């Protein structure tokens, strides 16, 4: 979906179809902030699949350029770039119970398990420790790409267009909040945004990799 579709909806809600009060660059600032807000609350809104090359050892990371948090590790990628063994999620406590010295075992070319700590969402650990260059297929939450103009594609799934429009309206009316009526409109749009996203849900817990 193009950013302009959301901006047109926002202008209808703001009764500013002629861009008298808010220019497109003004609205794009709030739209891009709204995309990041939604992706922070619902990591799957901007999720990606990627093949990553591991460094030697157990500690690994998601792509640095746009990675926000790991969602899951899928499987190994073999030397010929075909799918390899599935990688299953475990916990540090389980790994410690099975083999206390698991971080110090010999490095290998095939990963069997991974451990994830939601306090460090960009980092995960693998077992056995990886040889440098071993590849895994992962799913991760990415930072949405900013929309530079109306023709840019949204950086989040189009299903969130309504919530995004409410977020932009909330920010616009907050700029004019000296008027009590605009302050109430801002509050209404914020409430609609929160309701659409289910802000009360435990979003961080929902993003933690689980056994499937």
């Amino acid at each position: 979906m193009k950013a302009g579709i959301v901006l047109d909806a926002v202008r209808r809600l703001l009764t500013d179809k002629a861009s008298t009060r808010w220019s497109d660059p003004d609205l794009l600032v709030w739209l891009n902030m709204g995309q990041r807000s939604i992706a922070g609350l619902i990591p799957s809104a901007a999720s990606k699949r990627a093949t990553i090359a591991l460094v030697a050892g157990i500690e690994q990371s998601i792509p640095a350029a746009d990675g926000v948090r790991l969602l899951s590790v899928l499987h190994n990628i073999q030397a010929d770039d075909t799918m390899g063994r599935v990688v299953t999620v475990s916990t540090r406590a389980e790994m410690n119970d099975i083999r206390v010295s698991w971080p110090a075992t010999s490095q290998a070319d095939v990963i069997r398990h991974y451990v994830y700590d939601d306090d460090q969402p960009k980092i995960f650990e693998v077992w056995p420790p990886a040889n440098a260059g071993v590849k895994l297929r992962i799913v991760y939450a990415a930072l949405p790409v900013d929309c530079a103009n109306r023709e840019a594609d949204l950086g989040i799934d189009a299903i969130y267009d309504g919530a995004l429009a409410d977020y932009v309206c909330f920010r616009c009316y907050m700029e004019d909040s000296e008027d009590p009526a605009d302050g109430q409109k801002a509050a209404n749009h914020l409430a609609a945004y929160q309701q659409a996203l289910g802000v009360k849900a435990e979003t961080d817990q929902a993003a933690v990799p689980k056994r499937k």
Side-chain angles (χ1 to χ4, degrees):
M1 177 179 285
K2 301 296 183 182
I5 295 175
V6 176
L7 296 189
D8 289 343
V10 167
R11 291 200 179 283
R12 287 194 293 274
L13 292 168
L14 295 174
T15 61
D16 187 35
K17 293 181 180 180
S19 306
T20 304
R21 173 64 182 86
W22 289 280
S23 68
D24 277 356
D26 290 335
L27 297 184
L28 284 167
V29 170
W30 301 131
L31 182 142
N32 290 326
M33 188 176 292
Q35 290 193 121
R36 293 190 290 273
S37 175
I38 290 170
L41 292 166
I42 304 179
S44 61
S47 63
K48 287 185 176 182
R49 290 193 176 206
T51 297
I52 62 169
L54 306 186
V55 298
I58 67 167
E59 189 171 299
Q60 310 297 331
S61 59
I62 61 177
D66 64 350
V68 175
R69 68 164 58 236
L70 179 73
L71 297 180
S72 63
V73 176
L74 302 176
H75 53 78
N76 288 266
I77 297 293
Q78 301 184 103
D80 61 359
D81 289 332
T82 59
M83 290 189 297
R85 188 186 193 281
V86 168
V87 183
T88 57
V89 63
S90 187
T91 66
R92 189 166 289 105
E94 289 172 339
M95 295 298 294
N96 292 344
D97 287 342
I98 296 170
R99 187 190 297 245
V100 176
S101 61
W102 67 271
T105 51
S106 298
Q107 295 179 1
D109 289 332
V110 177
I111 304 305
R112 295 175 177 273
H113 307 296
Y114 73 101
V115 173
Y116 175 83
D117 183 345
D118 60 346
D119 290 329
Q120 294 185 302
K122 298 182 180 183
I123 304 296
F124 64 102
E125 295 172 330
V126 298
W127 186 88
N131 281 322
V134 168
K135 294 180 181 179
L136 294 179
R137 190 71 170 167
I138 68 167
V139 181
Y140 70 98
L143 186 69
V145 176
D146 281 353
C147 295
N149 52 55
R150 294 176 55 88
E151 298 306 313
D153 291 321
L154 292 181
I156 58 176
D157 194 291
I159 196 172
Y160 300 106
D161 60 345
L164 187 56
D166 276 312
Y167 182 92
V168 176
C169 290
F170 153 65
R171 286 295 187 179
C172 288
Y173 282 126
M174 282 297 293
E175 279 192 294
D176 292 340
S177 59
E178 291 181 4
D179 183 335
D182 285 339
Q184 184 58 53
K185 290 176 183 176
N188 291 343
H189 281 292
L190 177 59
Y193 166 77
Q194 292 174 331
Q195 183 176 9
L197 297 183
V199 166
K200 293 182 180 179
E202 297 179 357
T203 53
D204 282 345
Q205 184 61 33
V208 175
K210 300 177 179 66
R211 289 179 178 80
K212 295 182 180 179

